[in-house]
Amino acid sequence: MIRVVFFDLGSTLIYFDASWLEVMPRAAAELTDALLRSGLNLPREDFTLRFLHRIQEYYQQRESEFIEYTTQRILQDLLAELGFFAPALLLRRALERFYGVTQSHWRAEEDAHPTLNLLLQQGRRLGLISNASDALDVHTLVDKAGLRGYFEQILISAEVGVRKPHPRIFQLALDYFGINPAEAVMVGDTLGADILGANQIGMRSIWITRRADTPDNRDHLDTIQPSATVATLAEIPPLLERWSSPSPESSA
């Protein structure tokens, strides 16, 4: 019996409606401008490019080590290397400008609210496990999409220090609900994070594919197998009902 359903956030419950390659430079420029307005004498274009490069380096690093550092730490370290000190409040305000640009492009999937409501009506409990380097950004996105009320727990890698598929973040989620892995399922769009992590700890996994056509997923198609594959969130409640059925045919 599946008692708890864990969801990924980005590209699962919400989607990005623009090109990251176009949005990230604008977001980084907003961050640099905020730092300049605070009195830091930074070379605008050079610092913007340096920040983008550092973020990209970190994104690649974390996919192999599964260790999560915060964006604020990355920004602070970069400024320190250039001889600048900025208090935490100033860094936070600059990051709010950065994430304000990206947040404006996230949208809730049309079937997110109906699906989550139906799962609650089925008597299931819900949790969110998100890989992200800024916890406040995740909380803002959750609130912007009106999703907070569905979830008993919101677990963010920036607060835990490790990313999916690291087993620790999944174990923390299970411990919160006081359940064993067989009583939970993970829903997500990323084979190498959501599905692999769930599989390794003994949970069932549901891969949602409508926004999953990425190079990383294509690399894992033959090596990471979900318990089930769906194209939309709306398919999940009836799937879980079939899993709960004692009939061998309906649980296949």
Side-chain angles (χ1 to χ4, degrees):
M1 171 68 177
I2 299 298
R3 296 172 55 197
V4 179
V5 184
F6 294 109
F7 283 90
D8 172 52
L9 181 61
S11 298
T12 298
L13 294 171
I14 62 176
Y15 67 95
F16 199 71
D17 71 358
S19 165
W20 281 106
L21 291 176
E22 296 175 0
V23 172
M24 283 294 284
R26 289 196 287 111
E30 283 288 331
L31 177 143
T32 302
D33 287 344
L35 294 173
L36 288 169
R37 287 192 296 270
S38 74
L40 296 185
N41 188 23
L42 299 167
R44 185 179 188 275
E45 291 187 10
D46 180 67
F47 184 80
T48 299
L49 290 174
R50 282 175 180 263
F51 178 73
L52 284 171
H53 179 68
R54 184 62 58 87
I55 286 291
Q56 189 58 43
E57 280 186 336
Y58 168 62
Y59 287 170
Q60 294 173 356
Q61 172 188 338
R62 70 184 185 179
E63 293 306 320
S64 60
E65 298 179 355
F66 310 129
I67 303 299
E68 190 77 85
Y69 300 104
T70 65
T71 312
Q72 183 164 323
R73 173 178 167 177
I74 294 167
L75 175 58
Q76 184 177 34
D77 289 349
L78 176 59
L79 287 169
E81 290 173 15
L82 299 174
F84 294 95
F85 169 78
L89 181 59
L90 188 156
L91 297 176
R92 188 67 245 166
R93 287 174 176 169
L95 288 170
E96 286 173 358
R97 301 291 296 182
F98 173 79
Y99 285 113
V101 175
T102 60
Q103 287 162 5
S104 68
H105 290 284
W106 285 102
R107 304 282 183 265
E109 295 284 5
E110 288 187 1
D111 54 355
H113 287 276
T115 297
L116 296 174
N117 271 313
L118 188 50
L119 289 171
L120 291 177
Q121 291 171 20
Q122 290 179 344
R124 306 188 199 278
R125 303 169 71 187
L126 305 180
L128 185 72
I129 309 176
S130 178
N131 276 353
S133 56
D134 192 275
L136 286 177
D137 179 45
V138 173
H139 286 296
T140 299
L141 292 173
V142 168
D143 289 334
K144 181 173 178 285
L147 299 174
R148 183 173 300 276
Y150 297 107
F151 297 105
E152 295 182 40
Q153 181 198 41
I154 296 176
L155 201 56
I156 305 167
S157 59
E159 296 176 326
V160 176
V162 294
R163 296 170 56 80
K164 297 172 290 185
H166 196 289
R168 181 166 178 261
I169 196 167
F170 288 92
Q171 190 60 56
L172 287 171
L174 293 170
D175 290 346
Y176 177 88
F177 286 95
I179 58 172
N180 62 58
E183 297 174 293
V185 63
M186 178 73 206
V187 180
D189 67 296
T190 308
L191 288 171
D194 306 304
I195 306 308
L196 177 62
N199 290 353
Q200 288 179 335
I201 205 167
M203 294 166 54
R204 292 197 192 189
S205 56
I206 299 175
W207 185 35
I208 183 165
T209 60
R210 67 178 157 200
R211 304 191 190 277
D213 186 15
T214 65
D216 285 344
N217 278 334
R218 289 193 290 271
D219 288 343
H220 292 306
L221 283 174
D222 296 328
T223 58
I224 301 173
Q225 299 299 318
S227 306
T229 299
V230 298
T232 66
L233 294 168
E235 298 170 57
I236 295 171
L239 170 64
L240 297 186
E241 289 286 87
R242 292 196 299 274
W243 281 357
S244 299
S245 169
S247 168
E249 291 82 4
S250 61
S251 62

